Amino acid sequence: MSHHFSGPNFAFPRGDARLDLTDLYAFPKPGDPGKSILIMNVHPSVGVNPSGPTTDEPFAPEALYEIKIDTDGDAVADIVYQVRFTSADGGAQTATLRRVEGAQAAQTGEGGQVIVQGAPVSMGREAHVTQAGEYRFFAGWRSDPFFFDTGALNNLQFTGKDFMADKDVCGIVLEVSNRALRSKELRLWARTLVPEHSGRTDWIQVDRGALPLQTNVLAGEQNDAYLGGDPADDARFVPVFAHALEHTGAYTPEEATRAAGALLPDVLRYDPTRPASFPDNGRALNDDAADTFLAILTNGKVMQDGIGAHDDLLAEFPYLGPPHNGSR
């Protein structure tokens, strides 16, 4: 479901819901086309394997959460917005936002220029927003904006119900000047990382993605390798994706290879000077990404799941609706 439950067998990466990337969005700021909104959602409030509620702690303090940005089209990051969280008494958390540039952006590790430090993480319905120069920053529990009939994953046996309608996620929302993005041809993806060993600073990537749905449906037996990989190396997964598409959409081998090539590398293309419209440019919160993917998955035989956007989206920052569980 979107990029939810992206570990093997619809579980969480390393069994930790806080590390699970769910969705990535990028769109021009409403009313101010000189700025962009970047949103990285993680940590579904409910799991399916195992089933039931996940932890109330929004983010893993030991982890790094990153939005990576390629500005020159080589699928290698030139800018990274990196967030690290700390825990405080009573379950509260604070966040530090850094910007990493240049050669360091293509590497793995904590560093870069501090943009925001000690920003409060929102645990309830009130959105705590932090301003730092031209940046605005939010992190905390929010209503999950993704909408989808999960029957599509059960041999297209649609139920008419939106599984995500009453679910929450943890959002990392950033308002940034387009000047800071430095290009009109951006490629974005998000990832989560954890230390290789306790107390060490060697980092392991445990989840990554940009486009919705395809990872937990198409990566198959190579799921771990895919989640731990980089977009610049995604050509190696074209045969895996093509093989799956031959079965789901009755593609010919040649057609399947072409379709798989359109899904990889796994990056979200975004021109901040144009309106957002998935899959052509960025992704807005009400874009029906599920229908786009269903059309590819079935080779045009199924074009929609009949589920529409949620009605709790906000018209202003942080744009994500308040959480359904209002007091965590």
Side-chain angles (χ1 to χ4, degrees):
M1 288 166 279
S2 192
H3 204 284
H4 302 61
F5 323 123
S6 46
N9 300 314
F10 295 96
F12 296 120
R14 298 208 162 194
D16 191 337
R18 300 170 302 171
L19 304 176
D20 193 288
L21 169 68
T22 66
D23 285 286
L24 178 67
Y25 300 89
F27 52 91
K29 178 183 178 180
D32 187 352
K35 294 183 177 180
S36 287
I37 307 299
L38 310 180
I39 300 178
M40 173 186 183
N41 286 339
V42 299
H43 188 176
S45 62
V46 173
V48 297
N49 182 24
S51 62
T54 60
T55 178
D56 285 344
E57 183 179 53
F59 304 97
E62 69 276 14
L64 291 179
Y65 296 81
E66 295 186 337
I67 298 176
K68 298 179 75 74
I69 304 171
D70 163 32
T71 63
D72 57 14
D74 62 358
V76 176
D78 302 291
I79 302 169
V80 176
Y81 286 104
Q82 181 183 93
V83 187
R84 185 80 186 267
F85 296 90
T86 60
S87 294
D89 293 339
Q93 289 188 307
T94 61
T96 296
L97 168 70
R98 290 181 169 89
R99 176 184 166 104
V100 187
E101 299 185 60
Q104 188 180 4
Q107 300 170 3
T108 296
E110 189 173 13
Q113 176 191 3
V114 174
I115 305 297
V116 172
Q117 190 165 20
V121 172
S122 297
M123 297 294 291
R125 294 180 63 85
E126 181 182 0
H128 299 293
V129 177
T130 301
Q131 182 92 35
E134 291 191 296
Y135 289 94
R136 299 181 83 191
F137 174 80
F138 167 89
W141 283 105
R142 291 276 97 183
S143 170
D144 192 343
F146 183 64
F147 50 101
F148 184 49
D149 184 338
T150 56
L153 302 180
N154 183 27
N155 295 320
L156 300 177
Q157 300 298 310
F158 293 109
T159 66
K161 296 180 180 180
D162 179 2
F163 179 83
M164 306 298 177
D166 59 352
K167 306 300 190 299
D168 296 330
V169 289
C170 293
I172 297 171
V173 186
L174 182 64
E175 179 182 302
V176 56
S177 167
N178 290 342
R179 292 190 301 274
L181 299 177
R182 301 203 310 237
S183 176
K184 294 195 296 183
E185 296 183 4
L186 304 173
R187 290 164 174 80
L188 298 88
W189 64 100
R191 67 176 186 169
T192 58
L193 307 99
V194 295
E196 184 174 6
H197 302 289
S198 178
R200 296 279 297 276
T201 56
D202 299 326
W203 296 91
I204 296 177
Q205 178 178 299
V206 295
D207 202 357
R208 62 98 178 193
L211 303 180
L213 283 165
Q214 66 188 45
T215 304
N216 50 19
V217 176
L218 296 180
E221 294 180 356
Q222 297 196 40
N223 183 278
D224 285 343
Y226 187 86
L227 297 181
D230 295 313
D233 300 323
D234 275 353
R236 62 186 170 134
F237 295 107
V238 168
V240 179
F241 276 43
H243 178 73
L245 290 171
E246 286 183 49
H247 291 279
T248 62
Y251 287 88
T252 67
E254 294 78 13
E255 292 171 338
T257 298
R258 283 195 297 270
L263 294 172
L264 297 168
D266 188 359
V267 294
L268 183 66
R269 289 171 170 81
Y270 175 54
D271 177 351
T273 67
R274 298 193 293 117
S277 179
F278 185 83
D280 298 322
N281 188 53
R283 182 182 175 192
L285 292 171
N286 57 0
D287 280 341
D288 200 332
D291 283 0
T292 299
F293 184 74
L294 281 175
I296 297 172
L297 188 71
T298 66
N299 198 8
K301 298 178 180 65
V302 178
M303 301 298 292
Q304 59 184 2
D305 64 353
I307 301 298
H310 297 168
D311 60 6
D312 59 356
L313 300 174
L314 304 181
E316 58 187 18
F317 196 90
Y319 304 101
L320 302 170
H324 300 281
N325 185 341
S327 57
R328 291 184 177 274

